[in-house]
Amino acid sequence: MSAFDLPWLVADIGGTNARFGLVTSLGARPSHVAVLPGADYATLPEAVAAYLAEHAGGVRPGAACLALAGPVDGDHYRLTNSHWSGSIRDLDVPFARLLNDFEALAVSLPHLDGDELVTLGGPAPGHGVKAVLGPGTGLGVGGLVPAGDGWTAIPGEGGHATVPVFEPREVEVVRALQSHGLPHVVAEHLLSGPGLVRLHKALAVVNGVSAPDLTASDIVARVDDSLCAETVEMFCGMLGTFAGNVALTLGARGGVYLAGGVLPRIVERVRASAFRTRFEDNPDMAAYLSEIGTVLIVAAQPGMTGAAAWLSQHARRELVG
């Protein structure tokens, strides 16, 4: 078996779940998709072996591209919100590449169809630098830059930038967190699934009320609970400011795309919130930001779509070369 022989293994591996699929022909979307709980496997190679044996008929892939929620250093990976770490070489695949999960999301953007995107305000995204970010188990950030006839993805760790507080009550929330043992509050501490929980508890402290321990799913589901409603509204507002900061940093005039596991459950609440107002609210660059579209990715497996697109692009180069 040689590099780029089909089928290919693609994956989108987060802090909670590992999603796997196979690419069976050049340019095809992933098939044989399965989601495996990361906690069920001690290592990534064990999860890959289980997927190939139980969901892919025991095939041996000729190439693999894995998108992971954490920093990538050449052949080595370390998931930010999981115990998995190691080298891609441990998979024993002829050609294997690691991508940061939001690098893979960035690569997917030109390959997403219209019904896989939902507008969150502003004009439709166009050609030009694109940004992608999203709250899930963590807060990921990436970019996509036009390069000749194609695109170049930019991985990043922008979720660990300092939290984007704007309004007085947000400052109070940050101070409450600092007084409870979190001296440096970064964006991911509040703009993620676990961040919703942390934000809910901090708002209870600020409001001087007691609150039950709730999951992120509980918080977004309790639409008639005033503290939960305030939590979601503040979350959306800060996310708007953060997205605007990313757009300005990258010069993302081709659009800002949002992803992650949190937002698809609250699409209409994001639209009705201060998200878009906060996105554009900048003393010097409001006009610039108003011309940048914001959209939500609702595709089922965009990370794997990006991983498959990356392999297809490089396989074509190999064939031409």
Side-chain angles (χ1 to χ4, degrees):
M1 173 169 274
S2 62
F4 292 115
D5 281 352
L6 291 161
W8 301 332
L9 171 70
V10 292
D12 182 5
I13 300 169
T16 303
N17 293 313
R19 297 168 174 83
F20 295 100
L22 289 181
V23 176
T24 56
S25 61
L26 193 63
R29 290 285 186 100
S31 61
H32 300 79
V33 172
V35 181
L36 278 59
D40 289 355
Y41 304 91
T43 66
L44 173 59
E46 286 186 21
V48 169
Y51 166 74
L52 292 175
E54 298 169 15
H55 303 279
V59 300
R60 294 187 59 200
C65 185
L66 280 62
L68 297 104
V72 170
D73 182 12
D75 294 335
H76 291 81
Y77 60 89
R78 176 181 54 81
L79 268 70
T80 302
N81 293 294
S82 169
H83 62 277
W84 285 357
S85 63
S87 170
I88 190 70
R89 295 180 182 179
D90 297 336
L91 300 184
D92 193 28
V93 176
F95 177 89
R97 173 65 186 261
L98 293 169
L99 300 177
N100 170 271
D101 59 338
F102 271 77
E103 183 180 6
L105 270 176
V107 175
S108 79
L109 300 182
H111 303 277
L112 299 178
D113 299 323
D115 61 355
E116 294 175 313
L117 302 171
V118 174
T119 182
L120 295 178
H127 190 72
V129 176
K130 300 176 182 292
V132 60
L133 59 100
T137 305
L139 175 62
V141 178
L144 193 67
V145 179
D149 294 333
W151 300 83
T152 296
I154 304 173
E157 292 295 334
H160 298 279
T162 300
V163 65
V165 294
F166 179 77
E167 296 181 345
R169 285 184 64 74
E170 294 169 356
V171 175
E172 292 182 57
V173 163
V174 170
R175 287 176 177 164
L177 292 171
Q178 290 172 330
S179 68
H180 285 76
L182 198 62
H184 188 167
V185 183
V186 302
E188 183 175 277
H189 288 152
L190 296 177
L191 299 178
S192 61
L196 265 172
V197 175
R198 191 176 285 113
L199 179 57
H200 180 256
K201 291 180 178 179
L203 270 173
V205 172
V206 170
N207 292 346
V209 300
S210 60
D213 290 334
L214 300 177
T215 67
S217 296
D218 292 335
I219 293 166
V220 299
R222 296 192 178 192
V223 294
D224 296 325
D225 182 302
S226 60
L227 184 61
C228 290
E230 184 181 7
T231 300
V232 172
E233 180 64 29
M234 184 173 286
F235 177 92
C236 293
M238 285 194 294
L239 183 63
T241 296
F242 182 78
N245 288 344
V246 171
L248 291 172
T249 301
L250 291 181
R253 306 190 79 165
V256 173
Y257 295 73
L258 289 96
V262 175
L263 299 181
R265 291 180 285 173
I266 56 170
V267 176
E268 294 307 318
R269 296 174 75 180
V270 176
R271 284 174 163 170
S273 75
F275 169 81
R276 182 67 197 191
T277 301
R278 291 278 295 268
F279 177 83
E280 297 181 16
D281 193 354
N282 183 282
D284 302 310
M285 302 298 289
Y288 180 97
L289 289 165
S290 70
E291 296 176 355
I292 297 176
T294 48
V295 296
L296 175 63
I297 299 171
V298 294
Q301 307 292 349
M304 286 200 295
T305 297
W310 192 96
L311 281 173
S312 292
Q313 176 180 342
H314 285 265
R316 289 189 177 98
R317 288 178 181 175
E318 189 85 2
L319 290 170
V320 171

